[in-house]
Amino acid sequence: MLHRRSLLALGAAALPGAALAQASGAAGQWPDRPLRMVVPFPAGSTPDIVARIIGQHYASVLGQPCVADNRPGAGGNLGTDVVAKATDGHTIGLSINGPLATAPALYPNLPYDPQKDLAPISLVARAGQVLVVHPSIPARTLAEFIAYGRANPTALTFGSVGAGSGGHLAMEDLKARGGFQAEHVPYRGFPQAVLDLVAGRISAVFLTIAGILPQIREEQVRPLVVTTEARLPQLPDVPSLEEAGFPGATSYAWNALFAPASVPAERVALLAREAGAALRAPEAQKALSTAGFEVVGSTPAECAAFIQAESERWGALIRKLGIKVE
């Protein structure tokens, strides 16, 4: 569905004049005033880092500033709704799985419809998760973890950053596939979940690699499996879910660019091409790698198909389990 982009630096992929020519049309050059990049999360978050990298490139090739507008709240739904309702033709957004794919199944009164109100631009980056357990759990493999959960249905607990989050859904999916029990413990953020895991107050957690790698290296927690298709270079001895006997359970945390549905297709395509150019820069790849993310880059059609598949997969699980966030 998605064609993985090369991670080699390709240099400057577009010249300002070329991009501006592509943006010109019968109605004149676009953009003709600053672009607003809405980020539904705080400054310093991964979506914010990615947005500023792409925004700087947009400013250099499109001839107008691209201003980051952080609008955190409601799990990212607040800022995403701002983009969905924008009518100025110069507002775009960058967000994560939840507001773009799983929110319709989680929130009964969501004020926007991602499928109808948003135009996907590009899937820009993704990160796999790793399942880690406290050393007191008598499991060194995923099979042993599942067997322990089956034999001790009230013994396991797992943390996440909230109902419907990537870590929560990854564990619920694994529980359904593996036929074991574990009690969910939601947190406001991953740092507290990590602290409680290291202290032994919870048994396990799914997290992106950057959020737990120091504790893994210090052997404060034990990694069992990663959610990516292949093993992660940071954890070459930890198998993937497919290797562990769970094909189809692969999952990622991801970031995508999007616009209001009213933005013309040629402008969406231009923004996708230039986002890809921004992500190929060595400094962008270094920043994302440090945050535990892999550069993707995609066309608008590829991005739309990916989001649709994610919505269907995780929406079905959410509805099956009756998960709701008011």
Side-chain angles (χ1 to χ4, degrees):
M1 183 181 299
L2 292 171
H3 305 292
R4 189 172 301 178
R5 302 313 196 240
S6 169
L7 297 184
L8 297 176
L10 299 180
L15 296 175
L20 288 170
Q22 292 167 348
S24 299
Q29 183 175 293
W30 180 91
D32 57 11
R33 57 184 183 274
L35 289 171
R36 177 173 60 150
M37 176 90 77
V38 176
V39 183
F41 300 94
S45 62
T46 299
D48 180 70
I49 293 170
V50 178
R52 290 175 190 274
I53 289 170
I54 295 173
Q56 288 174 2
H57 179 81
Y58 281 166
S60 71
V61 300
L62 297 179
Q64 291 286 345
C66 183
V67 181
D69 183 4
N70 296 92
R71 297 288 190 97
N77 296 341
L78 179 63
T80 304
D81 187 47
V82 170
V83 180
K85 291 180 169 55
T87 59
D88 61 359
H90 288 71
T91 295
I92 56 178
L94 192 145
S95 194
I96 65 171
N97 313 40
L100 300 179
T102 60
L106 285 168
Y107 294 85
N109 299 308
L110 193 68
Y112 63 92
D113 183 337
Q115 298 295 324
K116 296 180 180 179
D117 300 333
L118 302 176
I121 296 173
S122 179
L123 179 68
V124 296
R126 66 181 188 176
Q129 299 186 90
V130 55
L131 172 61
V132 289
V133 299
H134 187 265
S136 65
I137 301 300
R140 294 191 172 275
T141 67
L142 180 60
E144 291 175 354
F145 178 75
I146 291 173
Y148 179 76
R150 289 173 177 169
N152 302 274
T154 62
L156 293 178
T157 56
F158 72 98
S160 84
V161 295
S165 65
H168 177 213
L169 295 179
M171 184 65 88
E172 294 293 355
D173 188 37
L174 184 61
K175 284 167 57 180
R177 293 171 186 266
F180 69 97
Q181 297 298 315
E183 181 182 356
H184 180 219
V185 182
Y187 290 86
R188 290 186 177 273
F190 79 85
Q192 187 59 51
V194 170
L195 287 174
D196 277 7
L197 178 64
V198 170
R201 288 187 282 270
I202 56 175
S203 309
V205 67
F206 269 106
L207 282 174
T208 56
I209 185 65
I212 197 65
L213 188 58
Q215 290 78 11
I216 293 174
R217 288 175 171 166
E218 294 171 10
E219 298 185 349
Q220 295 176 310
V221 297
R222 181 185 303 133
L224 299 184
V225 71
V226 295
T227 66
T228 48
E229 285 103 337
R231 298 190 182 198
L232 294 174
Q234 302 95 327
L235 298 172
D237 297 326
V238 180
S240 68
L241 279 168
E242 185 164 347
E243 289 180 281
F246 290 90
T250 298
S251 65
Y252 289 87
W254 48 266
N255 287 246
L257 275 168
F258 60 99
S262 59
V263 172
E266 63 272 15
R267 295 179 185 174
V268 170
L270 170 65
L271 292 169
R273 288 194 298 271
E274 293 304 332
L279 294 167
R280 288 193 291 270
E283 59 271 21
Q285 294 187 19
K286 181 179 179 181
L288 288 170
S289 177
T290 300
F293 277 73
E294 167 197 5
V295 169
V296 181
S298 77
T299 66
E302 290 169 339
C303 185
F306 177 80
I307 292 175
Q308 177 67 30
E310 288 281 279
S311 299
E312 292 175 357
R313 175 186 176 184
W314 298 112
L317 181 65
I318 289 166
R319 288 187 289 271
K320 178 180 178 181
L321 298 176
I323 301 171
K324 294 291 181 186
V325 180
E326 300 299 334

